[in-house]
Amino acid sequence: MKPNIPRIVAVSSGKGGVGKTNFVTNIALVFRSMQKRVLLMDADVGLSNIDIMFGIAPKYNIKHLLSGEKSMKDIIVKTPEGIDIIPASSGIRELTQLTYGHKMRIIEELENIDKDYDIFLIDTGAGISDNVTFFCSAAHDTIVIVTAEPTSIADAYALIKVLYREHGEMNFRIVVNNTKNHREAKETFRKLSMVTERFLGISIDWLGELPYDEKIREAVVAQKPYITLYPTSDFSKKLTEIAKQFLKREVDLLKGGMQFFLKKALIK
């Protein structure tokens, strides 16, 4: 990886309830354990969840940034685990559709800190809203979380279709979550891959699978990242393997750092 240019990774899903935020929270910790400097943005700006997963209560959030009250550096929260977080703002309806001015504000502020990180993880909302497509099209990689439920597969395809047809995105990494076994995971991927190839003519990238684990809910209730509570579980081992596989996937970071790619999203 080229120095001082963070790899921007959007993590999204076609529908809610598939474990997207849990995935982002814990893979951030895996990357940190690999000595990566990680910035994690809660970009589901109307529904703040990342702070809950880490058990923190930020004083400021993205609302204060977008209003001009605070800078990006002012609102970033440093967790004891070594992850830097840009917290969202819960229950602010007007932020569910970011304006052009809001997006420009985010770009300008990120430009000042892009050299401080190796990986910039963005936890987008679910679905195909303008906010979701903005952050996904700004990223080098989009990781799509999907489960075996037919609605999850259909909604994941809808997200991929919008990003491909309207934004020209072709780089989709797929993680199948909450699986019963490897066979179910591969069958889920096969179904999604089949429709994307048939109707869009593009290939998607199998990144890995994560098993269903009832202790994930316990970790959420405890407001502790799962991987810190159960580091030797099958889930944690597979998540570490996904992180390793992800880092092996090369992308062209080009020149210009974070704002180059965020500006790319604005002109599409």
Side-chain angles (χ1 to χ4, degrees):
M1 184 178 292
K2 297 177 182 179
N4 300 327
I5 299 176
R7 184 165 177 174
I8 307 172
V9 186
V11 181
S12 195
S13 61
K15 67 185 293 286
V18 298
K20 172 177 57 66
T21 298
N22 180 68
F23 173 85
V24 174
T25 300
N26 286 286
I27 203 166
L29 292 170
V30 175
F31 285 137
R32 185 71 191 113
S33 72
M34 297 174 175
Q35 308 306 311
K36 301 296 183 184
R37 300 169 300 167
V38 180
L39 176 64
L40 173 52
M41 180 178 187
D42 190 343
D44 195 353
V45 290
L47 297 167
S48 176
N49 282 315
I50 292 290
D51 52 345
I52 296 172
M53 301 292 281
F54 278 97
I56 58 176
K59 186 175 182 181
Y60 304 111
N61 55 53
I62 200 166
K63 175 174 71 75
H64 300 95
L65 171 76
L66 298 178
S67 68
E69 298 173 59
K70 297 294 178 180
S71 70
M72 186 69 80
K73 289 184 177 180
D74 291 331
I75 71 169
I76 286 177
V77 179
K78 296 183 179 295
T79 72
E81 296 88 357
I83 306 296
D84 285 6
I85 295 175
I86 302 172
S89 179
S90 182
I92 308 297
R93 183 180 294 275
E94 59 266 31
L95 294 186
T96 58
Q97 292 294 325
L98 295 175
T99 66
Y100 182 86
H102 286 153
K103 294 172 183 177
M104 285 303 299
R105 173 74 171 158
I106 292 172
I107 288 167
E108 290 166 359
E109 289 290 326
L110 288 173
E111 185 176 355
N112 296 325
I113 62 171
D114 65 353
K115 293 179 175 60
D116 298 334
Y117 301 98
D118 302 307
I119 296 177
F120 177 32
L121 281 169
I122 306 172
D123 182 17
T124 78
I128 55 174
S129 71
D130 288 344
N131 282 3
V132 173
T133 57
F134 165 66
F135 287 111
C136 288
S137 60
H140 297 106
D141 302 271
T142 296
I143 296 177
V144 179
I145 309 298
V146 64
T147 68
E149 296 176 23
T151 52
S152 175
I153 297 170
D155 290 348
Y157 169 73
L159 172 64
I160 291 169
K161 180 173 71 172
V162 168
L163 288 171
Y164 172 65
R165 289 186 173 171
E166 297 183 14
H167 299 272
E169 295 301 314
M170 298 179 65
N171 194 353
F172 301 101
R173 323 287 191 187
I174 309 300
V175 173
V176 183
N177 196 25
N178 292 337
T179 61
K180 296 177 183 176
N181 50 53
H182 179 68
R183 184 176 180 179
E184 181 186 71
K186 294 299 286 188
E187 178 63 12
T188 300
F189 178 78
R190 187 193 68 80
K191 290 177 180 177
L192 182 57
S193 180
M194 184 175 65
V195 292
T196 55
E197 289 186 10
R198 179 178 177 183
F199 296 109
L200 303 179
I202 61 173
S203 297
I204 54 178
D205 179 30
W206 164 266
L207 197 56
E209 65 191 85
L210 292 167
Y212 171 79
D213 187 336
E214 61 185 16
K215 291 181 179 178
I216 290 173
R217 184 176 295 276
E218 295 176 16
V220 173
V221 172
Q223 296 188 32
K224 299 280 188 181
Y226 171 94
I227 203 165
T228 62
L229 296 177
Y230 310 105
T232 61
S233 70
D234 189 36
F235 182 97
S236 295
K237 290 175 181 177
K238 287 186 180 297
L239 185 65
T240 299
E241 182 57 30
I242 286 172
K244 290 177 181 177
Q245 290 299 318
F246 175 79
L247 292 177
K248 290 179 181 178
R249 308 297 205 271
E250 294 185 358
V251 292
D252 187 359
L253 299 179
L254 299 178
K255 295 180 179 179
M258 204 177 284
Q259 89 280 15
F260 175 90
F261 290 93
L262 289 166
K263 285 175 181 174
K264 178 189 76 169
L266 283 182
I267 62 176
K268 288 185 177 180

